[in-house]
Amino acid sequence: MRLYLAHKRSMGWQLRAMESFLTTFSRAVRDVHLSSLTTYQVSEFLAGPKTSAHYKYENLKQFFRYWKARGQLDSVPLPSPIPRGHSTFVPYIYSRTELRRMVSESVVNSTIRPRVIDPATFRTLLVFLYGTGVLLSEALTLRESAVDLKQDVMTVQRAAHARKRTIPIGPDIHRLLTTYLESPIRKQFKDGNLFVTRKGTPVHIATLNAQFRVIRHNANVVRLDGIRFQPRLHDLRSTFAVHRIAAWYEQGLDAQELLPALGAYLGQLGLISMNRHLSLTPEHYRKPLATASRRRDSRKRGNKANPLAAEFLRRIQNS
């Protein structure tokens, strides 16, 4: 990496961003030798967060071509490029069996490097993301003071100037957070972020994603549907939504009528986002949901909406 950067600088390039990018890449693939890199490892990095896949792809293409021209690489370990302006991304929906494997103590404890994040903290965060459906950024910036376990509500915010929303905490998440806050690793820190490192500092998203990829690999959770991107930490949000829709159907509830409440809970008030979650539900759920939607539309206008959904929407929108 240093030789490549020195070569570029000798040609007059300013490479602070490139140096940071290649350092991140080196850490992500765990400093393996160039000749040992696989297309799978590079694909995993391209599917990661923060910068666009096209930006990362083009930078790596230049980097690999440089070393191939100097005989250090037999071939460039890049997957097929993504056409610019065309997104082929489809969120991965974890099965409950896969989720249980990923959050099992045996997998987490044997995977997490406890120097930075305690295994109990990581496991709690994984369950929290799936059990609440909040954004990863919302979870990592959530303050302990924003969690009210007496009223069973929490106030989340996706960005510094974004609109806040107060959402309910279910009994399972209540027990999860109570146990976590009383644990020795968390009890020593007060009034900071809810999820912290061993030093009490906020958890860095890059560290979290790198550790999650190892956990997913050790839990043998692999995407086999032909999509190039492997399952991500952020896909727990889509999994939460799809599992909730499926549960409504199994309970005999009108999922179409409850979708606006789910959208308000997730902070997705537009129909496009919610229909996307609906399209990801298994086929044997989608057909009954479509039928239920047609039945609902054919009802007389005098019928009242689901009172629970209406009350939930009122609470979210007025928070």
Side-chain angles (χ1 to χ4, degrees):
M1 182 179 78
R2 289 191 296 272
L3 290 175
Y4 173 75
L5 292 172
H7 168 74
K8 286 289 188 180
R9 287 192 178 104
S10 70
M11 300 170 64
W13 289 80
Q14 298 295 320
L15 297 172
R16 289 183 181 177
M18 175 63 80
E19 183 174 7
S20 176
F21 168 78
L22 290 176
T23 299
T24 301
F25 174 66
S26 179
R27 288 173 180 167
V29 297
R30 285 181 266 175
D31 296 315
V32 301
H33 192 272
L34 272 175
S35 60
S36 301
L37 272 176
T38 65
T39 302
Y40 175 80
Q41 287 173 304
V42 176
S43 296
E44 285 271 278
F45 176 73
L46 292 173
K50 287 198 169 184
T51 51
S52 75
H54 284 292
Y55 171 82
K56 292 186 283 190
Y57 191 96
E58 291 302 317
N59 280 341
L60 288 178
K61 183 168 68 174
Q62 292 180 39
F63 181 67
F64 291 145
R65 283 180 173 177
Y66 171 84
W67 291 112
K68 185 182 178 184
R70 282 152 184 78
Q72 298 297 314
L73 281 174
D74 293 330
S75 60
V76 174
L78 280 171
S80 301
I82 307 171
R84 186 173 293 275
H86 176 67
S87 174
T88 58
F89 175 72
V90 177
Y92 184 79
I93 306 304
Y94 297 96
S95 70
R96 287 183 171 82
T97 300
E98 290 173 331
L99 291 168
R100 282 192 290 269
R101 288 207 304 268
M102 289 194 303
V103 302
S104 67
E105 290 187 8
S106 60
V107 169
V108 175
N109 290 348
S110 64
T111 299
I112 296 300
R113 298 175 182 175
R115 292 179 304 170
V116 180
I117 306 174
D118 183 77
T121 299
F122 199 98
R123 184 175 183 274
T124 301
L125 180 54
L126 285 183
V127 178
F128 179 83
L129 288 170
Y130 168 66
T132 63
V134 299
L135 287 164
L136 182 55
S137 60
E138 291 174 335
L140 295 185
T141 57
L142 180 63
R143 308 284 291 182
E144 182 181 349
S145 58
V147 178
D148 185 347
L149 292 177
K150 292 182 179 179
Q151 299 294 324
D152 276 334
V153 293
M154 60 181 174
T155 301
V156 296
Q157 188 177 21
R158 65 180 61 196
H161 301 291
R163 180 178 181 271
K164 295 180 180 180
R165 69 185 192 284
T166 301
I167 57 178
I169 296 173
D172 292 337
I173 298 300
H174 176 103
R175 287 190 292 270
L176 176 79
L177 294 181
T178 299
T179 301
Y180 172 60
L181 289 170
E182 293 177 353
S183 64
I185 191 63
R186 184 61 184 78
K187 204 171 183 179
Q188 58 185 312
F189 305 112
K190 294 294 181 182
D191 302 325
N193 283 31
L194 179 63
F195 298 104
V196 293
T197 66
R198 280 188 173 275
K199 295 181 179 180
T201 57
V203 178
H204 197 280
I205 193 169
T207 302
L208 199 63
N209 277 296
Q211 292 286 283
F212 177 73
R213 285 194 289 271
V214 181
I215 277 190
R216 181 180 54 71
H217 180 268
N218 290 349
N220 194 29
V221 178
V222 181
R223 191 165 201 161
L224 300 173
D225 55 5
I227 303 295
R228 60 180 288 166
F229 299 111
Q230 287 299 313
R232 309 167 308 155
L233 197 54
H234 185 69
D235 292 334
L236 290 169
R237 177 173 166 86
S238 295
T239 301
F240 164 83
V242 170
H243 285 189
R244 174 48 47 202
I245 293 169
W248 284 336
Y249 170 69
E250 290 171 346
Q251 295 164 14
L253 301 175
D254 188 340
Q256 285 282 0
E257 188 173 281
L258 291 167
L259 276 180
L262 179 59
Y265 175 90
L266 292 172
Q268 297 177 334
L269 299 179
L271 290 177
I272 294 177
S273 295
M274 297 317 301
N275 285 335
R276 181 168 176 77
H277 291 310
L278 189 60
S279 71
L280 293 170
T281 56
E283 183 67 26
H284 64 282
Y285 290 128
R286 267 182 274 158
K287 290 180 180 178
L289 285 171
T291 302
S293 177
R294 287 194 294 271
R295 285 202 305 267
R296 183 200 63 184
D297 292 340
S298 65
R299 293 172 187 164
K300 292 182 179 179
R301 292 184 178 180
N303 288 356
K304 293 183 178 180
N306 186 311
L308 292 177
E311 172 60 18
F312 183 78
L313 276 170
R314 187 192 65 76
R315 287 177 57 195
I316 295 289
Q317 292 169 346
N318 292 338
S319 64

